[in-house]
């Protein structure tokens, strides 16, 4: 991971303009505000770039990844094996020229790599700061916040988050270089602030287990797709892309995204719990080892038996608790999370898509099972309470993912006209 974290609007904006100038970016003196937080930053003068035509046939929904993904023998989508999250702030006040530069950079990648895990999948999401501070209008997504008594994440205030994913880690590096330094670099318009990296898929966590947070002795199973040893994101436990798509309004065909960074501390998980105890905490105490091995497409884990789990077993399952948030029997968030070794520490970048951020809040709140300890003191906020004991949320932020045609600087006046001319 790179780049400093700052939360105050003033210091953040000062840092940003200073960094832009230091990097020799295309930014005029007029763009250096440095004194007021209430007025919009002055517009930068940017070069007019050539805009490649859109690649024909790409889905209108940026988040329409599933049709391109490989599946296992039960039809569960297999996520791309490698991911990167790139965070940016807008340089100066946004103009239609900013939108052209970003759109040109994204289209260049789409021309170079086919849409899918064998090429490149990408989404562009915009955070509340872009809407409230730069466009001076209400944000379609609320700022993120802590969602349990045992977490105190710092909240990111980046304007833009690009999520890149594919099956080839090197290609993600190439794509990042193209965005930051290539002929179609987006950096005249956007200041790169941070990159987070990761992976998911059979064999990758075992190959990356010599990091902080994983005890000695190579405990991560050789074929596990995630550090905790179990497969996640079975199709019955995921919201569909349709279900998370915004149906109307300016963000029609878009969705919302939350991005959390959490570290993992798996000493107790692997050293002090046996497989049955891990299954109880990941799924439900009613689930046996044989039951778990027989799961194919849905690990709903008896959410209606959570009362029994609390009273009789004194242990709650993570999947069991989260499934309490289902609506009409269906999960309401679409998880696209992946493990990481950022900072030399085992962790997880939890990326989730949902129609409304409130659906994430509902699900994450269900994961707390806050009242359980009143019924059985063997359960606390973290002890015997799903996987809460093992995860530490350090950062969180919310974004809106517009439709593909609206992805570059959504709602910015003049953007549509600027994006119509390709030369
Ligand atoms: C290290 C972190 C995590 C791991 C390893 C993990 C793993 C799992 C696993 C194995 C399942 C069982 C169902 C399936 O196969 O998909 C599951 C279900 C689920 N998890 Fe997690 N999870 C983690 C964190 C989270 C977080 C932070 C949330 C946020 C709310 C979450 C939300 C869910 C939901 C919504 C379900 C499905 C519930 C349903 O079936 O309706 N998970 N998780």
């Amino acid at each position: 991971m790179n780049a400093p974290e700052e939360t105050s609007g003033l210091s953040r904006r000062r840092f940003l303009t200073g960094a832009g100038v230091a990097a020799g970016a295309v930014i005029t003196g007029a763009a250096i505000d440095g004194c007021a937080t209430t007025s919009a930053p002055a517009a930068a003068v940017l070069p007019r770039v050539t805009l490649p035509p859109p690649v024909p046939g790409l889905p209108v929904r940026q988040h329409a990844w599933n049709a391109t993904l490989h599946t296992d023998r039960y039809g569960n989508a297999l996520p791309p094996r490698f991911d990167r999250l790139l965070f940016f702030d807008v340089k100066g006040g946004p103009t239609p020229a900013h939108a052209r530069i970003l759109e040109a950079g994204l289209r260049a990648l789409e021309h170079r790599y086919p849409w899918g895990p064998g090429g490149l999948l990408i989404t562009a999401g915009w955070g509340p700061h872009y809407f409230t501070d730069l466009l001076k209008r209400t944000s379609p997504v609320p700022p993120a916040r802590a969602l349990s008594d045992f977490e105190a994440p710092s909240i990111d205030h980046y304007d833009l988050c690009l999520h890149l994913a594919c099956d080839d880690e090197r290609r993600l590096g190439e794509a990042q270089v193209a965005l930051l330094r290539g002929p179609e670099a987006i950096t005249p318009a956007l200041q790169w602030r941070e990159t987070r990296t990761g992976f998911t898929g059979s064999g990758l966590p075992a190959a990356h287990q010599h990091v902080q947070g994983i005890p000695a002795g190579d405990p991560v199973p050789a074929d596990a797709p995630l550090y905790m040893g179990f497969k996640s994101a079975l199709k019955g436990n995921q919201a569909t892309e349709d279900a998370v798509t915004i149906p109307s309004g300016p963000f029609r065909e878009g969705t919302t995204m939350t991005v959390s960074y959490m570290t993992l501390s798996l000493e107790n998980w692997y050293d002090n719990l046996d497989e049955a105890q891990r299954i109880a905490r990941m799924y439900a105490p009613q689930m046996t080892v044989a039951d778990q091995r027989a799961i194919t497409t849905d690990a709903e884990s008896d959410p209606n038996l959570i009362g029994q789990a609390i009273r009789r077993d004194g242990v709650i399952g993570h999947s069991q608790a989260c499934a309490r948030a289902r609506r009409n029997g269906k999960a309401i968030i679409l998880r696209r999370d992946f493990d990481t070794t950022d900072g030399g520490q085992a962790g997880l970048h939890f990326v989730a898509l949902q129609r409304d951020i409130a659906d994430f809040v509902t699900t994450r709140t269900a994961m707390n099972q806050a009242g359980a300890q009143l019924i059985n003191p063997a359960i606390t906020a973290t002890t015997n309470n799903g996987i809460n004991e093992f995860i530490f949320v350090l950062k969180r932020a919310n974004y809106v993912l517009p439709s593909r045609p609206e992805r570059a600087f959504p709602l910015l006046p003049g953007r549509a006209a600027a994006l119509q001319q390709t030369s």
Side-chain angles (χ1 to χ4, degrees):
M1 277 187 292
N2 331 66
E5 176 95 5
E6 291 173 64
T7 47
S8 129
L10 180 60
S11 60
R12 174 179 172 283
R13 191 54 52 189
R14 278 198 168 133
F15 173 83
L16 174 59
T17 47
V21 172
V26 182
I27 188 166
T28 65
I32 302 171
D33 54 356
C35 56
T37 49
T38 46
S39 61
V45 177
L46 297 176
R48 184 178 169 80
V49 296
T50 304
L51 189 60
V55 173
L58 293 185
V60 171
R61 297 177 184 173
Q62 295 195 77
H63 58 289
W65 292 13
N66 286 4
T68 72
L69 300 181
H70 306 295
T71 51
D72 67 13
R73 62 195 162 118
Y74 305 112
N76 297 302
L78 295 171
R81 285 173 70 79
F82 296 96
D83 295 79
R84 269 186 200 214
L85 298 167
L86 273 56
F87 299 91
F88 296 87
D89 284 318
V90 175
K91 281 184 176 170
T95 66
H98 283 75
R100 268 181 85 87
I101 288 170
L102 175 58
E103 185 62 25
L106 296 175
R107 286 188 194 175
L109 289 179
E110 288 166 343
H111 281 282
R112 193 168 316 151
Y113 306 112
W115 181 248
L120 186 65
L121 292 162
I122 187 163
T123 63
W126 296 86
H129 179 270
Y130 166 73
F131 295 99
T132 56
D133 289 56
L134 300 185
L135 297 189
K136 303 287 175 198
R137 54 185 300 160
T138 306
S139 171
V141 287
R145 58 188 171 88
L147 293 171
S148 73
D149 292 342
F150 53 91
E151 64 176 25
S154 71
I155 305 303
D156 297 322
H157 297 286
Y158 299 123
D159 293 326
L160 172 67
C161 172
L162 297 181
H163 183 182
L164 277 56
C166 72
D167 285 340
D168 180 350
E169 191 173 21
R170 227 178 12 188
R171 194 176 311 130
L172 294 183
E174 286 167 14
Q176 173 166 338
V177 168
L179 289 167
L180 300 188
R181 294 201 292 276
E184 291 96 7
I186 63 174
T187 44
L190 291 144
Q191 177 71 46
W192 171 61
R193 298 296 305 274
E194 182 179 350
T195 292
R196 301 179 194 162
T197 70
F199 50 83
T200 173
S202 182
L204 291 169
H208 292 88
Q209 62 182 308
H210 298 152
V211 285
Q212 292 288 322
I214 310 287
D218 292 349
V220 179
D223 60 349
L226 286 169
Y227 276 130
M228 295 188 80
F230 298 109
K231 187 172 173 175
S232 170
L234 301 173
K235 63 180 170 185
N237 303 99
Q238 289 278 56
T240 61
E241 287 173 349
D242 278 348
V244 301
T245 299
I246 297 170
S248 59
F251 295 100
R252 192 174 166 272
E253 298 298 324
T255 187
T256 76
M257 173 173 77
T258 76
V259 176
S260 310
Y261 168 52
M262 56 195 78
T263 56
L264 298 173
S265 194
L266 299 185
E267 290 80 4
N268 263 345
W269 181 253
Y270 280 117
D271 288 347
N272 300 325
L273 299 177
D274 62 22
E275 190 178 4
Q277 291 169 318
R278 289 198 292 269
I279 288 171
R281 283 158 184 76
M282 183 58 85
Y283 297 92
Q286 293 90 352
M287 189 180 282
T288 65
V289 173
D291 291 339
Q292 193 277 330
R293 289 188 183 155
I295 292 171
T296 54
T297 58
D298 191 352
E300 187 182 18
S301 314
D302 297 331
N304 296 325
L305 293 184
I306 202 160
Q308 182 192 69
I310 295 168
R311 282 190 184 82
R312 188 191 71 183
D313 302 296
V315 178
I316 299 170
H318 163 69
S319 179
Q320 179 174 50
C322 290
R324 302 280 292 175
R326 286 187 179 195
R327 205 175 290 138
N328 303 320
K330 306 269 184 215
I332 54 175
I333 69 172
L334 171 52
R335 289 164 289 141
R336 291 199 165 146
D337 52 292
F338 49 94
D339 279 342
T340 184
T341 57
D342 284 345
Q345 163 72 51
L348 183 100
H349 293 300
F350 191 84
V351 175
L353 306 180
Q354 49 282 310
R355 189 174 287 187
D356 193 307
I357 294 294
D359 295 334
F360 173 72
V361 173
T362 301
T363 308
R364 183 63 192 76
T365 305
M367 194 171 145
N368 291 334
Q369 286 304 305
Q373 63 202 94
L374 301 176
I375 302 168
N376 187 341
I379 301 173
T380 73
T382 51
T383 314
N384 297 325
N385 196 340
I387 56 173
N388 297 342
E389 177 185 344
F390 309 98
I391 63 182
F392 300 84
V393 183
L394 301 190
K395 301 181 183 189
R396 181 175 290 140
N398 295 334
Y399 300 89
V400 62
L401 267 53
S403 65
R404 192 180 306 269
E406 305 294 327
R407 68 184 166 182
F409 290 80
L411 305 185
L412 177 73
R415 68 177 294 285
L419 297 180
Q420 261 159 20
Q421 304 134 5
T422 50
S423 56

